[in-house]
Amino acid sequence: MKIPSRCTKSLGIETPIIQAPMAGGTTTPELVAEVSNAGGLGSLGAGYMAPAALDDAIDDIRSLTERPFAVNLFVPRPPTEDAERVERSNTRLDIFRGELGIERPVPPERYAPSFEAQFEAVVMARVPVFSFTFGALDVTQVERLKDAGSGVIGTATTVAEAVALEKTGVDMIVAQGSDAGGHRGTFLHPFEQALIGTMSLVPQVADAVTVPVIASGGIMDGRGVAAAFMLGASAVQMGSAFLLCQESGANPAHQRALLDEGAVDTTVTRAFSGKPARGIRNRFITDMADLESTLPDYPIQNAWTKDVRAAASKQRQPEFMSLWAGQAARLGRQTTARQLVADIRDYLRSV
Ligand SMILES: Cc1cc2nc3c(=O)[nH]c(=O)nc-3n(C[C@H](O)[C@H](O)[C@H](O)COP(=O)(O)O)c2cc1C
């Protein structure tokens, strides 16, 4: 099939496959660089990184590739502090802490790294591509990135969000379907009103904006990529498929869960972070389910569940880990980033 060239030309890459940014250590510099070296665009999920760590990771990527890569941040929305909600959630978390053999930690000094400081670090680093989710940047921020030589990619989960992002001057828009693994990028609507599948969302966004559209959510192999192109996308952004790659930093227990039959049972939950995200249903999600509507906002809940998630990861205890995965994750297979990109390219050439 004819491979669309709008994104490849503008990003300076060969194949319109973007390895999704996946904050929390999954998108190692090795994974990012390997995808870029294979002709796609690797992305560093830097949403949880302090500026110094971000700088180091960017240096590491640059030492591994001369090709373009992306860095991704979370656009913040100030949370409402509610001590009662925090206590209610913590009382439930204490049960998990007991099982994991840890104590409730002291309150965190801050709930998340400063976005302003992260943003300055990225502008100073003059990264080839900057992508973001959870909100919109203002026009001045987009201009600063462009002046620094960075291509700018925003994330939309509805047509209205895509139109709003285009008005800020972004170069491209990720259309994130409800099938997608990880956090919902929704910022203009209650999340329940923005659960539109990739197949429905992509053509509507492609009709509504003039900038290139990047399809994301449930795309695992060449078939999904070809379908996305037919729907009007100029590139794809794939997360779950790259979680299983050798270079990924995903916890082995997470990778095992993805390969299990149970990976078909994903759900959207606020339990881990306070923000809706899609992952494999486990005990943490079901035991927190009755608190869903009264949990602290993101990133407060995220900060308070950190000790539980960290202990569970260390103990390889998947029932208390955030096992982010898209609805098609079961199609994933263990491979290398280079092979995954090459297989998709071969498939596209064959159809
Ligand atoms: C483990 C994981 C972490 C993610 N973290 C981020 C992130 O930091 N920033 C972001 O823009 N998207 C993030 N996403 C969402 C991806 O960008 C993308 O929309 C999603 O993976 C597409 O669905 P798929 O997993 O079915 O390919 C994450 C997804 C996963 C699976």
Side-chain angles (χ1 to χ4, degrees), residues 292-309:
E292 271 283 322
S293 58
T294 58
L295 289 169
D297 286 353
Y298 178 90
I300 300 175
Q301 177 71 355
N302 194 57
W304 276 109
T305 63
K306 196 173 170 185
D307 66 319
V308 174
R309 290 181 285 116

Side-chain angles (χ1 to χ4, degrees), residues 260-285:
D260 191 84
E261 290 290 321
V264 282
D265 187 18
T266 66
T267 187
V268 175
T269 179
R270 292 181 62 239
F272 289 104
S273 69
K275 190 182 268 298
R278 182 176 292 285
I280 298 170
R281 198 188 301 272
N282 60 4
R283 231 193 93 195
F284 189 97
I285 296 174

Side-chain angles (χ1 to χ4, degrees), residues 20-23 45 72 74 133 155 176 179-183 216-219 237-240 243 254 324-326:
M22 293 182 272
N72 174 272
F74 299 147
T133 185
T155 306
Q176 187 194 39
D179 346 20
H183 283 102
S216 191
I219 302 169
Q237 177 161 293
M238 301 163 61
S240 298
L243 281 173
H254 189 173
W324 302 142

Side-chain angles (χ1 to χ4, degrees), residues 244 251-260 316:
L244 285 173
N251 186 290
H254 189 173
Q255 293 180 322
R256 266 197 306 279
L258 287 164
L259 292 166
D260 191 84
R316 306 270 156 93

